[in-house]
Amino acid sequence: MTATAAVTIRRDDPRRADVLALLEEHLADMYATSPPESVHALDPGALAAPGLTFWTARDDDGALLGCVALAELADDDGELKSMRTATAARGRGVGGALLAHVLAEARARGYRTVHLETGTQDYFAAARRLYERAGFVVCPPFGAYVEDPHSVFLRRAIEAPPA
């Protein structure tokens, strides 16, 4: 669990009612912004699958502020999935807190790299800036991804945890 300025991040169930609404909004935006073959966001069932850890960020009253998932690609490699900040919570540092939480978890798991895929459209510019500020760099497609003009692939090396 991570807490930052009235943001508490903990494991959660992507099938909770408020989370479902946020994920439906996320998927709707992805399909409105990108061609269907370029949408790689996961549905709630996939986010509950083995090998994937799902977290939500909530305020002190329990209101949902955002979500993120980490998929294990290999023993030392993970993929950030389905990061979304609720519209009302944007600009409050929720995305940065979620990203920091995932990177800390990746480090604790012994991952050497975290990958992600995001869109190339202007809609995704703020997300790309967040990832770049966090040390992500452009990389070739990874896993089952293929070159796609609507996708940018990023990776970040993870430093080993202190001994």
Side-chain angles (χ1 to χ4, degrees):
M1 180 175 69
T2 301
T4 306
V7 175
T8 300
I9 299 170
R10 61 177 53 134
R11 282 184 184 216
D12 209 340
D13 185 341
R15 297 162 295 203
R16 284 177 65 166
D18 61 346
V19 178
L20 285 172
L22 182 64
L23 292 173
E24 286 172 12
E25 176 185 284
H26 180 60
L27 286 167
D29 282 347
M30 298 305 97
Y31 282 103
T33 308
S34 301
E37 65 276 7
S38 297
V39 174
H40 303 289
L42 299 177
D43 64 33
L47 288 168
L52 220 135
T53 308
F54 182 82
W55 295 274
T56 56
R58 295 180 181 274
D59 68 14
D60 290 338
D61 296 323
L64 180 62
L65 303 174
C67 64
V68 67
L70 182 61
E72 184 169 294
L73 298 177
D75 288 345
D76 63 351
D77 190 14
E79 180 183 1
L80 184 133
K81 295 294 296 179
S82 298
M83 192 158 94
R84 177 74 173 198
T85 300
T87 303
R90 293 195 180 143
R92 294 175 40 193
V94 174
L98 286 165
L99 183 56
H101 181 83
V102 165
L103 293 174
E105 178 66 21
R107 186 176 304 107
R109 291 181 184 185
Y111 289 176
R112 296 177 55 136
T113 309
V114 172
H115 286 88
L116 67 90
E117 177 277 338
T118 192
T120 58
Q121 298 85 349
D122 288 343
Y123 178 85
F124 299 99
R128 289 191 308 268
R129 283 191 301 274
L130 174 67
Y131 299 137
E132 289 166 7
R133 283 193 310 266
F136 282 83
V137 295
V138 174
C139 68
F142 59 91
Y145 292 105
V146 296
E147 285 291 341
D148 180 344
H150 302 285
S151 291
V152 62
F153 305 96
L154 303 170
R155 68 171 171 74
R156 182 179 189 268
I158 303 296
E159 57 280 356

